[in-house]
Amino acid sequence: MLKVWFLVFIVLSNGFSSTGQDMHNSTVPDVVNIGALFNYNATFGRTVKIAIKAALKDLSANPSILGKTRMNIIFQEDSKYRGFLSISEVLQVATKHTVAIIGPQSAVTAHVISHIANELQVPLLSFSALDPTLSSLQFPFFIRTSPSDLYVMSAIADLVDHYGWKDVIAFYIDDDSGRNGIEALGDKLADKRCRISYKAPMSPEATEEEITNVLVQVALAESRVIVVHINILWGLKVFDIAKRLGMMGSGYVWLATTFLSGILEMNTPFPAEFTNNIQGVITFRVYTPDSELKRRFASKWKNLTQGETANGPLGLSALGLYAYDTVFALAHALDAFFKQGNRISFSRDPKLSLPQGDHLRLDTLNIFNEGNSLRQNIYEVNMTGVTGTFRYTPDRDLVNPSYEIINVVGSGFRKIGYWSNYSGLSVDPPEALSSKPVNNSRAGKILLPVIWPGDTTQKPRGWVFPNSGRLLKIGVPISVSYHEFVSQVPGTDTFEGFCIEVFLAAVNLLPYAVPYKFIPFGNDHTNPSATELVRLITTGEFDGAVGDITITTERTKMVDFTQPYIESGLVVVAPVKKSDSSAWAFLAPFTPMMWAVTAIFFLLVGAVVWILEHRVNDEFRGPPKQQIVTTLWFSFSTMFFSHRENTVSTLGRFVLIIWLFVVLIVNSSYTASLTSILTVQSLSSPIKGIESLVNGKDPIGYTEGSFAKNYLIQEIGINESRLVALNTPDEAANALKKGPHNGGVCAYIDERAYMELFLSSRCDFTVIGQEFTRDGWGFAFPRDSPLAIDLSTTILEMAENGDLQKIHDKWLLRSACLSQGTKLEVERLNLKSFWGLYLICGFACFLALFIYLIQIVRQYSKHSSQEIHPAEQSSSSGSSRLRSFLSFVDEKEETVKHRSKRRQTEMISCPSGVVGSSIGFSSNKDYAQSSPYKSDVGSEA
């Protein structure tokens, strides 16, 4: 800072001074001084100067803005634009009591002079310093009047994601603008799960040799998607060197920020020798919607530039439009500033008063007292200019930042789409989508075809293997078992097996060569840990892994896997023995509970039908012994649908129909199960699946190095002390044969792909239950590796054309044991499968009995009122009434109806007085004689 203030002292000592007293204007001034800090000897500065003068001319013709007050633009030359050296130009403008400064041209200068603007409270309006960090709270008086680089980096990130690229190279100038812009690009790419794989900075004053060296390093990198973020001074030089290095050909993708579109617009028509160097490049141009104001300004631009084209053409660019609108926005803010009653005044800054004897004379610098008010009025501007709607958001950014996506083709360029902060990528202009809901689907993000470098329309892959001569180090796990999957040919560096052949076939289908070499991982004594092999990929020791590597959650957190090329979940293998048929095999189809419930229902249904049929059906009447035999015979004969007794009552038929349906289902199930038991050979094992292992305490075997150990401990909850590591198939077979009580294991757990080979020659074991995991094998590569994506595509292609199955059959197809096709103990039918049927039948029986009881009670009540004298009813005890009711229930219904009809006839033919007593006596006598319950209720009917 001492150098800065020393420069201030030099400027002030050359004649800049202040009166040292406050300056107050009591009226609106006739002239307002505005500074403009650009390099007017360059194309950019000349374009800006013409646009600012055009805006001043149009303002003077519009008395509704500022009235009679005139804006006096002080065009200060900034030929240095190197930050520190630009301070002198700023101070020269500041000493002329400027209320605002338009500029500077570069973000590097803006970072330096923003400190001066803050101290003097002079708003600094810039449409070309696009560094996103300038919008921070650190620089409250820096006001950007065009979209910052943050938005063009968002557009680039969306474009990279749209084409499916994952890695990009950032080529930029190593200054504030370049570093901060690329930092913003990295953040936006990370949101899309992409990244900057290589940063290639160049010095702000780089020589051609230095640029060449940086580009050579870029050419040796893996990514072919290059984002260029430099200024207009270096843009064409960089592409010219890249062209000479052969980097503008097929396979490359060049994405340039807004600097290139500015060069193309300001130098229209563009010389052919320059366009040849940028063929296929994609760049971004700030989008300004078409309007009458814009067309009118564009039509007079040619007249405005007459006499200014001696050093080359001056085309109308977006920066020229924003320079024009910046002047108008400042004029609107000043107009509101004066209408609020504010006045322009300056005062000394007491913080700049230095101790006596200091000769820097900083106390002569004045502060714009109303700077905060003017700054606030600028942020409140709401107008429509040549760039469209000019209004600020609460975040101090202009609304609706949008870009056109430009593809350089031939002698010009073509528009392939748009990007806006609201709708993202689209072929429709942003204003057409502003009133529609946002479509975030990939289908909605479309662009027109692109002509890529090399004059091709085929989308570049975006990456190649680094041209450094280094081979990819592919780790191969060497196991001591199951060599059919992976094995090393003895005495050589070559490998073979199912996994190796799948990898080689997939690589051969790639449209490019893959330089690689296999490196064995593991020793010859134990199976290596696939998880450890995957971890070594993250450390850089390996560039990939090929072999029987299961895709697990833990491993996917470290690397990227290809599409699975074989499915393989964990299964349980245990010893089995043949189950021989016995003399009691006919009882096997049902469980004991099922037999018991079925027998109970046979008896229940027989009893219910007897109750319902006893009063109306002679076949269900007779001596007690005969009725018991009849009921039992009827019940069990329904099993074969051979019952001879007919059902007469409606309720009896209803119950019988339901029961016969139940019998039909039970018979069919019994027959099918018994047939299976007697005709199909079955195996038996004390292990029923993973559930029985969890509940048991016997040791369990697993393959050494397999993920099965961690899965059984962490996911299933099996105690680690029960797990026994087994290295080879023979070791596993011996442990299974010994059993858990003789130093062996009760079961062996591993992946199905291994178990199919294991069981192909070992018929004493079989798979118990189903797979309890759903996994697959894949090839592992570092995170975001494009090779993993391309190999996944070729693996799917192999699966579709049958090549993958052919390789599987070549290495893994074996003749299986005959016992592997047998069943493990046909499951017995239990009550769980039939309780619904029995529930329906039981409910039907209950309903029929309930209806029958209601009918009997009603008939008995009617009978009692007709045939039993009221005096006898009142004097009879409860037991006698019960015997009377049971006698009534046991009596045949036809007899009761006949006697009731006879009594009614006698009552009609006899006098009422005599009939009353005689009927009472006669009825009781006849009923007693006809009732089977004379002295014993249980006598014969």
Side-chain angles (χ1 to χ4, degrees), residues 46-60:
R46 290 187 292 128
T47 301
V48 170
K49 189 173 184 178
I50 294 172
I52 291 177
K53 286 183 176 180
L56 291 175
K57 184 177 180 181
D58 291 343
L59 275 174
S60 63

Side-chain angles (χ1 to χ4, degrees), residues 236-255:
L236 297 179
K237 190 67 175 176
V238 169
F239 285 110
D240 179 54
I241 297 174
K243 176 76 172 179
R244 280 182 283 165
L245 293 175
M247 298 175 66
M248 300 302 298
S250 178
Y252 281 90
V253 177
W254 291 86
L255 306 177

Side-chain angles (χ1 to χ4, degrees), residues 613-618 621 648 856 859 867 888-902:
E613 295 289 322
H614 179 65
R615 300 187 71 239
V616 296
N617 193 340
D618 290 337
R621 299 184 65 82
V648 178
I856 288 297
Q859 292 177 6
E867 298 191 357
F888 177 79
V889 171
D890 186 61
E891 189 175 11
K892 192 174 181 180
E893 184 176 340
E894 183 180 352
T895 303
V896 174
K897 290 181 178 180
H898 177 71
R899 186 174 61 251
S900 177
K901 185 181 295 184
R902 183 162 57 92

Side-chain angles (χ1 to χ4, degrees), residues 256-279:
T257 53
T258 53
F259 77 90
L260 183 58
S261 63
I263 294 175
L264 293 173
E265 289 180 308
M266 288 186 291
N267 294 277
T268 302
F270 208 68
E273 59 269 21
F274 293 138
T275 56
N276 290 337
N277 295 336
I278 56 176
Q279 291 295 303

Side-chain angles (χ1 to χ4, degrees), residues 166-188:
K166 292 299 180 182
D167 294 347
V168 304
I169 295 174
F171 184 93
Y172 61 98
I173 295 180
D174 193 13
D175 58 14
D176 291 332
S177 178
R179 286 190 303 270
N180 295 331
I182 294 303
E183 188 70 24
L185 174 63
D187 293 340
K188 295 300 179 180

Side-chain angles (χ1 to χ4, degrees), residues 866-884:
Q866 292 179 352
E867 298 191 357
I868 301 176
H869 196 277
E872 295 181 3
Q873 285 186 354
S874 59
S875 61
S876 61
S877 63
S879 60
S880 62
R881 283 198 299 271
L882 177 60
R883 285 195 300 270
S884 175

